[in-house]
Amino acid sequence: MNRLILKPGREKSLKRRHPWVFSGAVAKVQGNPGAGETVEVWSATGEFMAVAAYSPQSQIVARAWDWEHRAIDGDFFRERIERAVTCRRSLMGDAAAMRLVHGESDGLPGVVADRYGDTIVLQLTSAGAERWRDAIADALLGTGGVARIWERSDADVRALEGLPPVTAALRGPREPTRVVVTEEGLQFAIDLVHGHKTGFYLDQRDNRQQLKALANGRDVLDAFCYTGGFALNAAAGGAKSVVALDSSAEALELAKENAALNGFAQPEWVEGDVFQLLRKFRDSRRFFDLVVLDPPKFAPTAAHAEKASRAYKDINLLAFKLLRPGGLLFTFSCSGGVSADLFRKIVAGAALDAGVDAQVVAQLGAAADHPVALNFPEGEYLKGLICRVPG
Ligand code: SAH
């Protein structure tokens, strides 16, 4: 059996059931494991720690599949995927669009599976997940109501594992281009081939509902609107007006289609750079009652935190300046490299510099289909705050 033997004392995180083994923690590789193959991880003192997938090219040289001595095979993936799907069913019923598998937090490192109606979009980001592609696809197919599996393994992180980007029909008909799903009464067309992530930001589901509940009668600005998730919920919630900004012409094209699908004459869609557009609104004294800031990941890792902090501070400061008295700011960070604590400090600094005494009235995170395993704090990437400025 292939084994990784750890350096003395380097078994501590595995004992806390954190699934990552860093290359610097490994003293010796026994046997000749290939990329993605199953290895046993043993401590320097001869204690069995985990069965894991080997990623020879990555700094995360192994990811634990399990803490028991067990076979990693088709049954293992069927069991894990069944467990993940049962969790979703019990929390979210039969929602048409949801994340079925959320990587490490579901005991499946490197595996993300999102369901849009009868289509599953699968993203594999580790050598171990790559090795078990067929077993994973078959297990997903067996969860019921699934007609096809479309693979979108084109995330940048694959390069760190030495894996090429893959976009392909894995099971079922070829080339799905569009699906339409209903989320809480609104229809969204999703571009599975070119859209961001697996096509849609499922993680913001609950936060879009919060916005809908607070939008009535307000002038709403949705910055970084993508295909209109927040903007259309603002319209559905009775917003007086909605302006939505994005730099991507393709995203806005689909956003407009989504508005038409739901019969909305608004929002007003503006293509451009949010950093510049917010300044333009400030300079022309155009004010709003509710602003949403849902930017892309400015800091994928902690190494980018400083530059990212400046960008977050900039847009939050501008947003505070655009709010009328009593206005609300929905502000988010999906950067793994910026902690919830740091994010709150950045927003506090922005309010201070904008000269407003804002309060946090709610703290937001990803929806329940993006659970965070307690042994894997890295899973908590999406943080949000609703801030209110005094009326
Ligand atoms: N709120 C959306 C998701 C936003 S994703 C939802 O709920 O669906 C982030 C979006 O920011 C992407 O659509 C991307 O095109 C856009 N974007 C990135 N940088 C930008 C910039 N500087 N100005 C405007 N839009 C930008």
Side-chain angles (χ1 to χ4, degrees), residues 293 311-320 329 331 343 347 350:
L293 293 177
Y312 286 120
K313 168 99 180 270
D314 189 34
I315 52 174
N316 279 278
L317 196 162
L318 287 161
F320 276 124
L329 171 63
T331 183
F343 183 57
V347 175

Side-chain angles (χ1 to χ4, degrees), residues 196 201 208 224-226 229-230 246-248 272-275 294 296:
H196 293 174
Y201 288 82
R208 289 191 277 260
F224 307 99
C225 68
Y226 187 49
F230 282 103
D246 205 283
S247 55
S248 158
D273 175 26
V274 164
F275 292 83
D294 184 22

Side-chain angles (χ1 to χ4, degrees), residues 2-13:
N2 296 315
R3 284 186 181 186
L4 304 187
I5 313 294
L6 300 176
K7 292 177 183 165
R10 298 303 293 268
E11 69 284 359
K12 289 198 185 83
S13 64

Side-chain angles (χ1 to χ4, degrees), residues 183 188 196-197 199-205 208 222-231 233 245-252 270-277 292-298 315 332 334:
E183 181 187 83
F188 289 96
H196 293 174
K197 296 187 31 156
F200 196 58
Y201 288 82
L202 290 166
D203 51 359
Q204 292 282 22
R205 178 194 307 97
R208 289 191 277 260
D222 179 9
F224 307 99
C225 68
Y226 187 49
T227 56
F230 282 103
N233 273 287
L245 322 175
D246 205 283
S247 55
S248 158
E250 297 83 59
L252 289 177
V270 183
E271 185 184 330
D273 175 26
V274 164
F275 292 83
Q276 289 171 16
L277 289 168
V292 183
L293 293 177
D294 184 22
K297 209 171 3 191
F298 290 149
I315 52 174
F332 296 96
C334 59

